Amino acid sequence: MTVFSSYEIRSSFSKICLGKKDITTIKNNSANLKVFEGFTDYLSHKILEPEKTPSDYLILNSVAMVHKASGLFGNYKSVEMYLDNDRAGEQCRDSILKIFPEADDRSNEYFPHQDLNDFLISQEEKTLENKLEKNQTAIHEPEGNRNIYRRKR
């Protein structure tokens, strides 16, 4: 077994790969494969949809790496694609569909967001806004209503 060490360095200003870029596979002896463009999208998926039975996972780390994964698809009964809602994601999806025509494109589940991570962030922002709104409502309630929530001693 050969192990390659590469590091992705990201900031708001740049994305850098130190070492050789490659795909990442996570195997759980599943008949289902879930495909992601990047590791952040994979992690977002794990937060959004905790699974009872894990799938196998393919993280491309770049849509340009889809050719390296072409031999993997034949090992699966089903393939789900969680690719970005942009031109590169569409091209990657089309490449996978040529290899595995039954693959299921899941990008509509988080459209109009760019990707799963953007969708997750938007959900977290909505949750935070709802909590803030509830707190503001409680602060501005008349004094008589607030007594309902106080504990009697």
Side-chain angles (χ1 to χ4, degrees):
M1 179 175 161
T2 305
V3 177
F4 297 98
S5 291
S6 296
Y7 300 93
E8 295 278 340
I9 300 172
R10 296 175 183 252
S11 73
S12 56
F13 304 107
S14 68
K15 295 180 182 179
I16 301 167
C17 178
L18 299 176
K20 186 177 179 181
K21 193 172 264 298
D22 204 352
I23 62 172
T24 302
T25 56
I26 301 170
K27 300 197 180 243
N28 292 304
N29 297 319
S30 176
N32 182 47
L33 177 68
K34 294 186 179 186
V35 181
F36 302 91
E37 278 191 41
F39 215 81
T40 304
D41 292 323
Y42 162 73
L43 294 174
S44 297
H45 176 74
K46 297 300 276 182
I47 292 168
L48 288 165
E49 295 183 31
E51 297 169 290
K52 294 178 181 128
T53 307
S55 297
D56 284 2
Y57 304 97
L58 168 63
I59 299 105
L60 296 170
N61 296 311
S62 170
V63 292
M65 305 303 285
V66 71
H67 70 280
K68 284 194 160 202
S70 61
L72 297 175
F73 296 102
N75 300 328
Y76 295 95
K77 289 183 181 178
S78 66
V79 173
E80 297 173 11
M81 300 177 289
Y82 296 86
L83 304 170
D84 290 2
N85 285 311
D86 60 12
R87 185 75 181 130
E90 290 172 11
Q91 290 173 338
C92 185
R93 179 199 65 223
D94 292 344
S95 295
I96 293 171
L97 287 171
K98 285 178 185 173
I99 301 163
F100 196 98
E102 301 85 20
D104 186 15
D105 178 14
R106 296 298 190 80
S107 62
N108 61 328
E109 293 177 10
Y110 44 92
F111 183 83
H113 300 281
Q114 169 74 19
D115 58 25
L116 268 174
N117 188 51
D118 286 343
F119 177 73
L120 175 61
I121 290 169
S122 76
Q123 298 303 303
E124 293 295 324
E125 287 172 349
K126 285 179 188 175
T127 301
L128 182 59
E129 286 172 7
N130 288 339
K131 286 180 181 177
L132 289 172
E133 190 175 296
K134 285 180 183 177
N135 286 340
Q136 289 296 325
T137 302
I139 290 170
H140 296 296
E141 283 182 358
E143 185 65 36
N145 290 344
R146 277 191 249 162
N147 289 334
I148 295 170
Y149 303 109
R150 289 193 183 141
R151 224 172 141 185
K152 293 184 179 181
R153 297 176 193 226

